[in-house]
Amino acid sequence: MITAQQQEQLRGWFSGRLPDDLFEELAEVTVDREEITVIGRIPGPRPVEDASPAEREAAVEGRIQEFRERTRDARIAVARDAEHRFGRKVSWGVECAGRRALFTHVAAPVMTRLRQPERQVLDTLIAGGVARSRSEALAWCVRLVQRHTDDWLTELRESLEHVQRVRAQGPDSERQERQEDEPTADGE
């Protein structure tokens, strides 16, 4: 696990190492044991009046592709330095006109042990056509959790606060209050 300070140092290194004209802004630098992902904002295409949504989407796609091709050599040079320094592969992505696109990035294998009920969940996703394999089904589950993390964590925190309030009203809290009110051996 990377500490907040290490994350800040990593982001600072990329901020200093990236060519000034590569991105409008360094949007995000994330890291895990295998990979560092660097995402920057690039300018969107010039708006065309009366352009259809399909035309606007195609223009953004074209801008992202143009950026990827034009900056390949500069990104490779930075990635080589970072991979040598940090011992992780570097992946790239951009945000353009509200769309995020990741370029080639690491798909790392993860070993896990699942009991039968958990395997049945994966097998149901396969039978339902959501996934082609248990590996793909597990990745689907992780993406689902990732998408709802904020909602679930907020709900979990609220539940924990509720549990703390209920515990404070329970019989153990009365016993705790009595113990605090009783004099100690030294008379206080």
Side-chain angles (χ1 to χ4, degrees), residues 96-160:
C96 180
R99 180 162 176 251
R100 179 175 278 204
L102 293 176
F103 305 154
T104 304
H105 50 281
V106 175
V110 178
M111 177 66 157
T112 186
R113 295 183 186 277
L114 300 175
R115 300 202 186 283
Q116 187 179 33
E118 296 153 340
R119 294 190 310 267
Q120 287 174 335
V121 169
L122 301 180
D123 293 343
T124 300
L125 292 172
I126 295 166
V130 173
R132 294 179 302 218
S133 66
R134 284 181 171 172
S135 175
E136 196 175 287
L138 187 56
W140 184 88
C141 292
V142 169
R143 285 191 303 273
L144 180 65
V145 169
Q146 182 183 22
R147 185 177 307 140
H148 296 289
T149 297
D150 290 338
D151 296 339
W152 289 344
L153 288 178
T154 299
E155 189 173 336
L156 180 60
R157 286 184 191 108
E158 290 170 357
S159 295
L160 290 172

Side-chain angles (χ1 to χ4, degrees), residues 58-72:
V60 170
E61 181 65 34
R63 176 57 52 94
I64 291 169
Q65 188 63 35
E66 183 276 333
F67 171 86
R68 184 177 185 185
E69 297 300 324
R70 177 176 45 83
T71 63
R72 180 172 276 121

Side-chain angles (χ1 to χ4, degrees), residues 2-21:
I2 190 166
T3 66
Q5 181 180 7
Q6 290 169 327
Q7 177 75 27
E8 290 170 2
Q9 289 172 341
L10 190 72
R11 183 178 174 89
W13 186 87
F14 275 97
S15 293
R17 177 59 181 84
L18 291 173
D20 289 337
D21 60 345

